[in-house]
């Protein structure tokens, strides 16, 4: 028989307490390991090659495959329990013999006295064991401490546009907490080849492989919104200024589209359903500065229109030439005649459809941002407060303070693209950023920084829309991908005291801003009065200076005439 060669192994042992210690490295200069002089006689056998690149590994490679720790050896052994105390003539293995002997002992009087004497000591020991209740709940009068909140946000599903990758322009959830999501895709770049494709899609959030329905508009859609009363009806605004509506039960073809000659002059960025008896009315806005109201039962012409022109004189007639381009639109169903628009110049203008003149139709104005207002939404619980997103900040405004916002975020390094309130946790603000991050700001927990920032993708996020349940948030990117993010339990639910706490915060900040506004008005009035007084003083000083100049001139001329007379006499 041939013996197997013994396996060569080397075990390296190390104490467990030495694991994880800091390694200290230091620079070490080169060392000459070998020096082989060249042989001039061999020069003729070599050909000079210049340049030459050769990789040389001088140090041998060393690796450690595994580390064996010291093992603890366990062994299993049995115990032989022998029952004792029986007389020798009694077989303890026989149950009948032991039972007869037990009955005999129990009838003895000495057994009864022995048991009675042992009962006192046994009772004492039992009471000693029961003196400490191991199941007792201590400090029951103290209130329970709530668990530490762990705020998080993670992606649960990804929906990619089939075919071309066009930016996501609008998102809309199905009414009544449905599981369908409508996405509008459009590329506004005139030189892009993606404008050939004009489809928008409706997704089932449980199936990310393919869309449930493809919407086929005549032109690419920039906005697509569900009807809150009928979950099968959608309206959309197109790239050429037209608006139309679709019925999911009839497929992806439009049911009604307005004629081009009554449409907007520019692309339609926003469409929203309004609160009406029929549930078929909606209105749209465009950068041409006009808001138009439509009825899906008759799309031949708009039912009403309003030009967003801020006139200073009530007698002036609004003009389309002076209209301000609209970039965001907001409507609250509980206030049916009022709406708000965000403009491309950074203004937020409140509108009243039932106003009699131009001033009553546009009663309020807020200077919100330096650039276009990308998002505008009222708080779902506190309707007097609304959120605006533009340039690099997100701001919370109150209708009572028109000169400044009451709350705002710090200026981000990247541009903010969209924002919305959480419909359930009304103190939570969701904001999308140009770097692909979704940030969550909670006004009750921390206002100096977002409570959660999730990196959903590398491309810019353009749109977001939270679900009615409060936990799901849909975010659309510039490459046509929709990311469905899920919030943690504490970010999607509201506590019973949250409404009262947020009321105190908004009232306090509102009061502070009103005090500052009153102080600024006093300072401006004082500066105006000082300027007027200074102007009057300067006018009086100028009159006195002219009079003195005239007197000095007359005295000078009189002295000259006297000198001339003296010279003649001489």
């Amino acid at each position: 028989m041939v013996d197997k060669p013994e396996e060569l192994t080397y075990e390296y042992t190390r104490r467990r307490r030495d694991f994880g210690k800091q390694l200290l490295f230091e620079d070490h200069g080169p060392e000459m390991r070998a020096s082989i002089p060249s042989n001039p006689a061999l020069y003729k056998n070599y050909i000079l090659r210049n340049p030459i690149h050769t990789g040389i590994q001088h140090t041998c490679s060393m690796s450690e495959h595994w580390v064996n720790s010291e093992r603890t050896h366990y062994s299993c052994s049995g115990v032989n329990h022998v029952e004792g105390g029986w007389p020798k003539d009694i077989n303890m293995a026989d149950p009948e013999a032991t039972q007869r002997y037990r009955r005999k002992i129990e009838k003895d009087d000495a057994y009864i006295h022995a048991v009675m004497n042992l009962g006192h000591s046994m009772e004492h020991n039992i009471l000693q064991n029961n003196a400490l209740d191991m199941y007792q709940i201590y400090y029951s009068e103290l209130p329970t401490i709530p668990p530490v909140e762990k705020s998080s946000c993670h992606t649960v599903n990804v929906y990619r546009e089939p075919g071309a990758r066009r930016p996501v322009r609008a998102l809309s959830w199905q009414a009544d907490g449905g599981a369908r999501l409508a996405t509008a895709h459009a590329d506004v770049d005139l030189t892009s080849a993606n404008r050939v494709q004009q489809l928008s899609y409706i997704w089932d959030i449980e199936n990310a492989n393919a869309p449930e329905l493809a919407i086929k508009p005549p032109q690419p859609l920039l906005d697509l919104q569900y009807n809150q009363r009928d979950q099968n009806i959608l309206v959309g605004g197109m790239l050429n200024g037209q608006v139309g509506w679709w019925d999911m039960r009839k497929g992806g073809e439009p049911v009604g589209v307005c004629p081009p000659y009554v449409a907007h002059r520019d692309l339609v960025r926003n469409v929203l359903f309004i609160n009406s008896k029929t549930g078929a009315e909606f209105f749209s806005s465009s950068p041409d500065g006009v808001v138009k109201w439509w009825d899906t039962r008759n799309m031949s012409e708009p039912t009403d229109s309003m030009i967003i022109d801020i006139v200073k004189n009530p007698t002036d007639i609004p003009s389309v030439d002076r209209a301000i381009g609209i970039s965001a639109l907001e409507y609250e169903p509980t206030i049916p005649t009022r709406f708000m628009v965000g403009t491309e110049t950074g203004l937020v203008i409140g509108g009243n459809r039932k106003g009699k003149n131009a001033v009553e139709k546009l009663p309020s104005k807020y200077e919100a941002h330096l650039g276009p207002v990308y998002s505008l939404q009222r708080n779902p619980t506190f309707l007097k407060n609304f959120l605006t997103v533009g340039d690099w900040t997100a701001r919370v405004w109150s209708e009572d303070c028109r000169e400044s916002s009451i709350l705002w975020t710090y200026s981000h390094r990247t541009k903010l693209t969209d924002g919305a309130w959480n419909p359930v946790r009304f103190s939570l603000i969701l904001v999308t950023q140009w770097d692909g991050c979704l940030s969550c700001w909670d006004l009750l927990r921390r206002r100096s920084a977002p409570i959660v920032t999730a990196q959903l993708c590398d491309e810019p996020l353009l749109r977001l829309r939270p679900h009615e349940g409060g936990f799901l948030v849909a975010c659309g990117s510039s490459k046509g991908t929709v990311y469905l993010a899920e919030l943690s339990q504490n970010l999607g639910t509201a506590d019973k005291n949250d409404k009262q706490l947020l009321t105190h915060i908004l009232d306090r900040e509102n009061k502070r801003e009103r005090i500052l506004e009153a102080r600024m008005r006093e300072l401006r009035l004082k500066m105006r009065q000082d300027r007027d007084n200074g102007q009057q003083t300067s006018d009086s000083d100028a009159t006195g200076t002219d009079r003195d100049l005239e007197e000095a001139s007359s005295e000078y001329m009189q002295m000259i005439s006297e000198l001339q007379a003296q010279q003649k006499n001489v």
Side-chain angles (χ1 to χ4, degrees), residues 30-41:
E31 295 181 0
M32 181 66 71
R33 294 293 184 180
S35 178
I36 303 174
S38 59
N39 188 1

Side-chain angles (χ1 to χ4, degrees), residues 299-326:
M299 296 293 294
S300 60
E301 60 179 358
T303 58
D304 193 4
S305 63
M306 182 184 298
I307 300 174
I308 307 301
D309 180 16
I310 304 177
V311 296
K312 297 181 179 180
N313 192 351
T315 59
D316 294 342
I317 300 176
S319 174
V320 180
D321 298 334
R322 300 191 303 265
I324 305 175
I326 302 172

Side-chain angles (χ1 to χ4, degrees), residues 393-430:
T393 58
R395 299 178 180 270
V396 178
W397 296 78
S398 175
E399 290 185 349
D400 299 332
C401 301
R402 299 186 180 183
E403 296 186 5
S404 176
S405 58
I406 60 175
L407 294 171
W408 57 88
T409 65
Y410 61 83
S411 296
H412 292 70
R413 293 182 178 272
T414 58
K415 184 174 66 173
L416 304 184
T417 56
D418 199 1
W421 296 95
N422 190 301
V424 176
R425 184 166 186 82
F426 38 80
S427 63
L428 186 69
I429 301 174
L430 304 170

